[in-house]
Amino acid sequence: MAAVQWHSRARRYESELQSCGLEVAPVEFSDYHPLKSITVTDSKSRRGARKGSTSSSSSSSSSVAPDPLSSMLDGTDPLSMFAAASASESPLTLSQSRKRREKEDEVGVDFEPWSSKRGEILARFTTTEKLSINLFMGSDKGKAPSLASSAVSEKVRTRLEELDDLEEGSQRELLNLSQQDYVNRIEELNQSLKEAWASDQKVKALKIVIQCSKLLSDTAVIQFYPSKFVLITDILDTFGRLVYERIWSMCSDPRPLPDSFTADEVNDTAKETCLNWFFKIASIRELIPRLRPFTGFTPSLCVLSGIQETVPRLTAMIRGIGDPLVAVYARAYLCRIGMEVAPHLKDSLNKNFFDLLGTFRQIHGDSVQNQLVLQRVEIPVYLTLYSPAIHWILQCVSYRAPEALLTEMMERCKKLGNNALLLNSVMWAFRAEFIATRATDFIGMIKDCDEAGFPKHLLFGSLGRSLACADPPEAERLPILNEAWKVITKVRSPQDYINCAEIWVEFTCRHFTKREVNTVLSDIIKHMTPDRAFEDAYPQLQSVIRKILTYFHDFSVLFSMERFLPFMDMFQKDSVRVEVCRSIMDVFINALTLEDEKRSLALLINGFIRMVSFGRDFEQQLSFCVEARATFCNLEPVLVQLIHTVNQLAMETRRVMRGSHSRKTAAFVRACAAYSFITIPSLTSIFSRLNLYLLSGQVALANQCLSQADAFLKAAVSVLPEVPRSISIEGKLRSSEGFLLDFINNFLSALLVVPDHPEAGVLFLVRGLLNMVQDYTWEDNSDAKVQVYISALPLLAAMSQESYLYSIPKVDSNETLYGGDPKFLAEINKLCETLIGQVLDHLKTLGRDESVHRQGSLAFSLFGCLLSHGDLRNNKLNQLAVNLWNLSHKQGYCNTRTSVRTLEFIKHQAQQPDMAHLSDMLQRLTLQSRT
């Protein structure tokens, strides 16, 4: 490559154009006929068309300036940064990842996590009554150390004294708190726990946990208890996490534990700390303050291999809680921790459920009934308080449980009899397939339940949710629907009615015809029309429409339902009606339309868009395009048409408003550019994005919006690496290489008139493009990259001319900015030399691989480029051209006709002024044919 010294040939474009003109042969009038073709003789030899492609600078050349776009194309993306961050995780984080992986072995993504239920519980169980918080935070008095016979007895004595101090300290009582005040106070305690732990006041942190745990035994405002449970267990979770992190950090000394470790591998310091916390919590006298922190502490017992003994012990301890509501939530918390740290201990989870069955008699006992009378809470409301806890326990127990266990649980529930609360939770938690195959049995159990305790329509609602996910036996479907609707249609409250009916609409649409669906719609209209009850049920009514549209895809079937349009008439609020109508249009025009129908619709819509005109009200035209984009956002051909329309609008605005309101016009053109820049990334077709980026950049440049033009062209360069090696065209996979080369060719031709950014460096866009080509993964045995290099040489040669071949009015190209500066020309020459060097290296590689046909074709392409754009008066460049000619003809693969015409062109050019050196070169070019 050192022997190559590039110099571009000076061009006189106007004289070249005249010399290449066509000479028209005279035609006798008598021979003339309007349908007879006119004979035109080409009296001048025209240059052969070259196949263009774009360039990529070689990173091996030290003479090339740093690439201004390299930061954009160097692969530093958010995913890479996240990957780097994960590699430097602390041992604790790695341990948590290990625990998470172990859990995922048994608990998969199909298990609904507790976090998804937390917000629902807080929103559902609220109160307007005043709440209170009683805290016994202990005294701060110092205790004189006493002599002991051993260090161990001293530790035990100190621990007991600290915990006894909880009962000797001052009492702090907060009364008359609103629900929000209560939530704020609990959050303050949670923050105090974190601050105490951070300041190494571990005993104070434990005191906070103990006092918060005591709050869970208070059922003074019983309807708020589920939300209180969620808030307090957040504090217990914080405590458990802090203890676990402390112990695990000790396990990592002197080196981190492996992913799979045993208790024998844990150092003594970590074990002693774990036992210390174990004994502290075990020393608490009261049951609930001891039980709840113990449950939160359970994950830390992994370092002692104590989980298998602890979970059954905690299960037994819960039997000592007298209040059935407090007990059921204690079991729910234990099941939650058990699923996180020991999901394989199924027996303990099962015992929690069977213990739960034994406590149901307490619900109807005198103690609970007296409490409900005192708080004026009805039994149906009270029973709903159990639902979140029972749902969770059953979800944990039934998760991936064998059929035999589920059947046993169902039989145990039957023996209880008249327990709608438990039956409702079973239908919520058990697998939908299990419920569906026994749907008739569940209907019988629902009939046996007492309506006063738990409304039957709620039970049928739970059954309907399961049947929406799994199908019952075909013969049972109609009887099931009839039994369910007998109960649903008798519900007097419109809100309760629509909540249940909306669930069963999906079952009806899924398994029956429009006749049954029409009957259901008629019943809904009957219940929701009186007193305009439908005005309070728009969300449920919209859900009914969505479910119908999911299963009925034919317009004629839909509107042939007698009650469908009357049902639509219930949407009398304008915004809701518009939303419903739009959802119907979306379903039937967009989401469920076949691809060919989409194309037909897009053609019709595009034709309409092209016909819309607001005259010279260009802002209104742009507003129309914005609304059309929102309406047809999933019809890509329409989006493409809209971008073309906006670009045409920008050009038309500049033409019409030329010389007047220049600032307003410039602002409007920038708005058009912003529209295109926002819309293009939403297109899925990579080549549509590339071509529109280029087109929009050219439009911005034509309107003197240089910064917008730069943004579009940079975006195109950044998208190029995303081009796949194959694309689907009419259902068939085709190589994308040819399309990519065509685009790069067009991109290069546009770069001639794009001025360099004053802060970005010389030829920053050209170099950014070349870097992309260098790094792109081309097809195996492909010459595309080298073809791009060859195609970049004409652009660089054109950039070195004193006067460019074409320009844009009022836009100063590099010819004006640099004015033939020697340093600018030197940069161009160095870049050309680098590219030629890369091509020559590739030709050598092809020679070694015996790919002589490809070698000859590329050599001839480079020869043609040197002939047209290089200054062959330079001896070394002249000799390189001769060598390339000989190489291309060496094996006789070159097209003889093309070679002859090329020699004729050189002979003709040699007769032009300042081209005599071509005569000498012509004598050294010989034709060879394959023998």
Side-chain angles (χ1 to χ4, degrees), residues 701 709-710 713 750-756 764-765 799 812-814:
L701 194 64
D710 274 350
L713 297 177
L751 292 184
L752 178 62
V753 293
V754 179
D756 284 342
F764 78 107
L765 280 173
M799 284 183 167
D812 292 334
S813 302
N814 287 339

Side-chain angles (χ1 to χ4, degrees), residues 700-853:
L701 194 64
N703 285 280
Q704 297 95 52
C705 296
L706 301 185
S707 60
Q708 285 77 11
D710 274 350
F712 281 114
L713 297 177
K714 287 180 182 178
V717 172
S718 66
V719 169
L720 280 172
E722 301 176 18
V723 176
R725 295 174 63 173
S726 60
I727 56 176
S728 177
I729 299 178
E730 296 181 354
K732 297 181 180 180
L733 285 179
R734 291 182 57 186
S735 171
S736 64
E737 195 170 272
F739 298 96
L740 181 56
L741 290 176
D742 288 342
F743 171 78
I744 295 177
N745 219 23
N746 293 333
F747 193 86
L748 282 172
S749 65
L751 292 184
L752 178 62
V753 293
V754 179
D756 284 342
H757 194 285
E759 299 178 359
V762 178
L763 303 176
F764 78 107
L765 280 173
V766 176
R767 295 185 189 278
L769 180 66
L770 295 175
N771 279 346
M772 186 287 303
V773 175
Q774 178 71 27
D775 298 334
Y776 184 77
T777 304
W778 300 93
E779 295 182 12
D780 297 335
N781 300 319
S782 170
D783 300 322
K785 180 166 65 174
V786 177
Q787 292 174 4
V788 172
Y789 293 162
I790 295 174
S791 298
L793 293 174
L795 168 67
L796 296 171
M799 284 183 167
S800 66
Q801 304 301 315
E802 293 182 3
S803 179
Y804 283 2
L805 178 60
Y806 45 86
S807 61
I808 296 178
K810 298 183 181 181
V811 175
D812 292 334
S813 302
N814 287 339
E815 60 177 333
T816 304
L817 295 181
Y818 295 109
D821 189 315
K823 292 182 179 179
F824 175 66
L825 298 179
E827 287 294 329
I828 291 177
N829 292 339
K830 289 179 181 178
L831 191 52
C832 289
E833 291 167 8
T834 300
L835 297 178
I836 293 174
Q838 291 288 318
V839 177
L840 295 179
D841 289 343
H842 185 71
L843 290 175
K844 293 178 182 178
T845 302
L846 293 178
R848 289 193 296 268
D849 296 342
E850 297 184 356
S851 302
V852 291
H853 183 71

Side-chain angles (χ1 to χ4, degrees), residues 18-299:
Q18 294 176 358
S19 65
C20 293
L22 298 178
E23 181 178 313
V24 180
V27 179
E28 294 294 335
F29 183 77
S30 58
D31 296 334
Y32 174 76
H33 188 276
L35 297 182
K36 182 178 180 180
S37 60
I38 300 177
T39 303
V40 180
T41 304
D42 185 357
S43 60
K44 308 288 184 182
S45 297
R46 298 184 62 187
R47 289 174 295 162
R50 58 181 173 82
K51 187 176 183 180
S53 241
T54 344
S55 78
S56 144
S57 97
S58 168
S59 59
S60 63
S61 173
S62 61
S63 62
V64 179
D67 169 36
L69 298 182
S70 59
S71 61
M72 178 175 62
L73 301 175
D74 62 359
T76 305
D77 58 281
L79 294 179
S80 301
M81 290 188 286
F82 278 123
S86 64
S88 59
E89 284 184 318
S90 65
L92 172 62
T93 307
L94 292 175
S95 170
Q96 291 170 339
S97 299
R98 175 182 60 80
K99 293 294 182 186
R100 194 177 299 113
R101 287 195 299 272
E102 290 179 355
K103 183 184 72 173
E104 289 173 351
D105 289 341
E106 299 186 37
V107 179
V109 294
D110 55 334
F111 184 83
E112 185 179 6
W114 173 258
S115 57
S116 65
K117 300 178 180 295
R118 182 183 181 278
E120 178 185 348
I121 295 174
L122 292 175
R124 179 182 175 188
F125 298 97
T126 59
T127 184
T128 57
E129 296 188 29
K130 297 300 180 180
L131 302 165
S132 62
I133 298 178
N134 295 316
L135 298 176
F136 299 84
M137 293 309 296
S139 65
D140 295 329
K141 62 186 180 181
K143 296 187 180 292
S146 59
L147 296 178
S149 59
S150 68
V152 175
S153 61
E154 178 65 25
K155 288 183 180 179
V156 173
R157 183 179 297 105
T158 302
R159 183 182 305 118
L160 293 174
E161 289 174 352
E162 289 172 341
L163 296 174
D164 287 340
D165 188 41
L166 296 175
E167 300 176 359
E168 299 173 3
S170 59
Q171 177 178 352
R172 183 184 178 195
E173 187 173 13
L174 302 175
L175 301 174
N176 297 322
L177 298 176
S178 66
Q179 178 179 319
Q180 187 58 49
D181 292 336
Y182 189 93
V183 172
N184 294 339
R185 295 295 183 184
I186 296 299
E187 178 56 35
E188 290 174 6
L189 289 172
N190 199 354
Q191 188 62 33
S192 299
L193 168 63
K194 297 176 184 177
E195 293 173 356
W197 190 274
S199 59
D200 204 26
Q201 301 181 57
K202 303 296 189 299
V203 173
K204 180 180 178 181
L206 181 57
K207 290 178 182 179
I208 294 174
V209 172
I210 293 172
Q211 294 306 309
C212 290
S213 299
K214 286 184 177 182
L215 297 177
L216 289 176
S217 60
D218 176 20
T219 58
V221 184
I222 201 166
Q223 62 267 36
F224 184 66
Y225 190 83
S227 292
K228 178 194 287 188
F229 166 79
V230 170
L231 297 171
I232 299 301
T233 52
D234 284 348
I235 295 179
L236 299 180
D237 292 341
T238 300
F239 169 72
R241 177 177 55 81
L242 293 172
V243 174
Y244 179 79
E245 290 176 354
R246 173 174 171 78
I247 294 175
W248 184 256
S249 64
M250 295 179 177
C251 293
S252 301
D253 185 21
R255 61 180 180 275
L257 290 175
D259 284 350
S260 179
F261 68 91
T262 62
D264 295 336
E265 298 176 89
V266 179
N267 59 50
D268 293 339
T269 303
K271 289 181 179 179
E272 182 180 354
T273 302
C274 185
L275 285 172
N276 183 33
W277 280 105
F278 183 88
F279 291 135
K280 278 184 179 180
I281 299 172
S283 301
I284 301 173
R285 291 188 175 92
E286 296 183 46
L287 176 58
I288 293 180
R290 179 173 72 253
L291 176 65
R292 293 306 179 93
F294 219 145
T295 305
F297 172 71
T298 300

Side-chain angles (χ1 to χ4, degrees), residues 682-710:
S682 65
L683 303 178
T684 57
S685 171
I686 184 71
F687 284 103
S688 292
R689 277 185 280 158
L690 288 172
N691 289 320
L692 287 172
Y693 273 133
L694 177 56
L695 173 64
S696 301
Q698 291 171 318
V699 170
L701 194 64
N703 285 280
Q704 297 95 52
C705 296
L706 301 185
S707 60
Q708 285 77 11
D710 274 350

